Amino acid sequence: MAEKPSEEPRPESAAPPDDAWEQFLRDSEAGVPASAPKEPSARARMVTERLRALDEAQAAAAGRKGRRFGRSRPVAPARPEGWRKGPAWREMDGRASRRRTVWSVVGVLTAAALAVVAVNPSAALSWLPGGLGGGGADASGASASGVDASGVEASPLAPETARPTGAPGEAEGIPTRERPFTGSPAARWEAGADAIRLPRAKAVNGVPAARIEEALRGTKEFLAAANLDPAVLKGGEPVKALALVDPLEADYLADLRAAVRRPTEDNDPVSAFTRFDPEKVDLVGDVRVRGRMTVAPDTAAEGRALITADYTFVYGVARAGGDETTRVIVRRVLQVDAADPSRYQGTEGRLWIRDLASEIGNDDCREGDGLINPSFFSDLLSASPQAGETRDPYDRSTGVSREDECGVVSRT
């Protein structure tokens, strides 16, 4: 039996115990140099606390609410005694993890909104509740709403077969309930689970083609259940997605379930599942999807392969009962292990998730409520500029961010 990897302790911040402080004072009287640290006075502690509270209040006023840009939370995979036929196929893989990177729209889009108001007030007003949206044409002649100047539906883009070399071009137009993807590159993306195409299954690194095909189908099912299921999108429990995770990943599965049932700042389910509050927003239109799935040999050992699914999901959302419309862009990079069943043991029909990294564009950066909270145009007019890295959420030419802070998107 291979030795388990040591658990990495989490760094914690805590005040020294009283006995340690008393020992320090005794050492000081015995001749410790004057440069030694001194216990802060009560006034100093009070001032520090006031400054901290002020910082938090200012962050909340800016829409950040003291929250994050991303979240990385590794979870140790389960390796119960006697569960395998051969070497533990997770021995050299590190720990399964879920990472969430989030961008709000406050900041860059605030400036853009004010510019629109100055240059074209009528267009800006059409973004507000009760307004009428317009549509523009991109360089190809197809409008951002997915129809050309003659009203003919524009053909969708060809499927993505490799990483793009850059971000998609800008598109003109304003989203409405009827055309939520106007002004978005997603106007020409395919919709729904049909956009998640599987590569041809073949034997890889000693893993039979049948096992590869089973893992590919399961990966697609998980992505669809986690990001396209209407019940889940409306805040429901992702029952189908959870049922696909191998129960041998007991700790990871327990962590996912706990996140859904009791969301916390450190364990928020939107790092794995797309969920909105139906009392605040209405989902409008279909869900646009673009990405690719690949299979590669696991170089750590014979008889193992790694499936990587990199997909971006774009959701049209409107204020509940209102007309104001915007979009949320969620990118998921899911890695699934596939292993030769004659060498390694796993649960039939279940997935062994190695890693799940996410980026969420247009979330207000609150964390711990288990839901994505988009901002609308009218919110931006009164919001304070927000600091942080600026990213284009439609840019699939680079990998997902692993930073742990809140930033801004350049567009929705």
Side-chain angles (χ1 to χ4, degrees):
M1 165 84 62
E3 182 179 354
K4 290 184 179 181
S6 61
E7 297 292 337
E8 299 179 4
R10 284 187 173 183
E12 296 184 357
S13 176
D18 292 340
D19 55 349
W21 184 255
E22 291 172 0
Q23 180 63 43
F24 170 76
L25 293 178
R26 289 196 293 271
D27 292 342
S28 298
E29 293 173 355
V32 175
S35 60
K38 295 181 174 57
E39 180 184 18
S41 66
R43 178 174 177 79
R45 290 195 299 270
M46 179 181 66
V47 171
T48 299
E49 179 62 22
R50 287 182 176 177
L51 290 175
R52 182 191 64 77
L54 180 60
D55 288 342
E56 290 181 353
Q58 290 174 338
R64 296 191 59 174
K65 299 186 173 66
R67 304 295 293 271
R68 46 76 193 107
F69 181 100
R71 179 62 57 186
S72 173
R73 190 169 193 271
V75 181
R79 276 185 282 270
E81 293 290 337
W83 74 278
R84 54 184 172 79
K85 299 176 182 177
W89 59 297
R90 293 298 302 266
E91 285 173 7
M92 304 176 67
D93 295 343
R95 292 189 247 173
S97 63
R98 291 175 295 118
R99 299 178 177 87
R100 174 192 180 195
T101 299
V102 180
W103 289 278
S104 72
V105 295
V106 180
V108 169
L109 289 189
T110 301
L114 296 177
V116 171
V117 172
V119 175
N120 192 345
S122 61
L125 291 175
S126 67
W127 288 21
L128 300 178
L132 298 175
D138 61 20
S140 67
S143 77
S145 63
V147 296
D148 62 21
S150 62
V152 178
E153 191 76 16
S155 60
L157 295 176
E160 184 178 286
T161 57
R163 173 170 286 186
T165 58
E170 295 290 336
E172 297 179 359
I174 298 168
T176 65
R177 273 183 172 266
E178 294 72 26
R179 293 181 176 177
F181 302 105
T182 294
S184 163
R188 296 189 62 200
W189 292 8
E190 295 177 291
D194 289 343
I196 305 176
R197 290 183 169 79
L198 305 183
R200 184 173 66 88
K202 58 182 180 180
V204 176
N205 196 32
V207 184
R211 177 68 187 98
I212 296 293
E213 183 176 8
E214 178 188 13
L216 287 170
R217 288 200 309 266
T219 301
K220 176 177 179 175
E221 290 175 10
F222 182 88
L223 287 171
N227 301 283
L228 298 174
D229 186 324
V232 177
L233 296 180
K234 294 179 181 179
E237 184 173 354
V239 177
K240 296 178 183 178
L242 291 170
L244 289 167
V245 181
D246 196 319
L248 292 173
E249 286 193 286
D251 291 343
Y252 183 58
L253 187 55
D255 186 71
L256 288 173
R257 286 174 172 157
V260 172
R261 295 168 185 172
R262 296 177 300 278
T264 66
E265 183 174 334
D266 292 328
N267 194 17
D268 196 321
V270 295
S271 60
F273 311 113
T274 304
R275 306 166 80 228
F276 299 92
D277 185 347
E279 295 185 359
K280 295 181 179 179
V281 299
D282 295 331
L283 291 165
V284 293
D286 46 25
V287 180
R288 299 300 171 93
V289 184
R290 188 158 182 81
R292 64 193 182 281
M293 197 180 303
T294 59
V295 183
D298 188 330
T299 57
E302 182 73 15
R304 304 191 305 193
L306 179 63
I307 295 172
T308 301
D310 181 350
Y311 285 88
T312 299
F313 302 85
V314 184
Y315 305 85
V317 293
R319 286 195 190 277
D323 293 329
E324 194 174 5
T325 305
T326 187
R327 288 176 290 265
V328 170
I329 304 95
V330 177
R331 184 178 176 186
R332 309 280 191 194
V333 180
L334 172 66
Q335 292 185 328
V336 171
D337 283 321
D340 179 359
S342 68
R343 304 186 191 188
Y344 307 97
Q345 184 175 348
T347 304
E348 186 72 20
R350 305 296 182 91
L351 296 180
W352 195 288
I353 296 178
R354 178 184 296 194
D355 188 75
L356 176 53
S358 301
E359 292 179 350
I360 303 177
N362 191 8
D363 185 353
D364 70 359
C365 289
R366 287 188 298 172
E367 184 179 20
D369 61 357
L371 301 166
I372 296 173
N373 298 278
S375 296
F376 293 86
F377 181 85
S378 59
D379 299 326
L380 307 183
L381 297 178
S382 59
S384 301
Q386 181 168 307
E389 180 186 357
T390 300
R391 289 277 296 252
D392 182 348
Y394 292 98
D395 188 355
R396 297 180 42 78
S397 65
T398 61
V400 295
S401 173
R402 303 284 177 160
E403 296 300 320
D404 191 17
E405 58 178 313
C406 190
V408 294
V409 290
S410 60
R411 55 177 168 172
T412 63

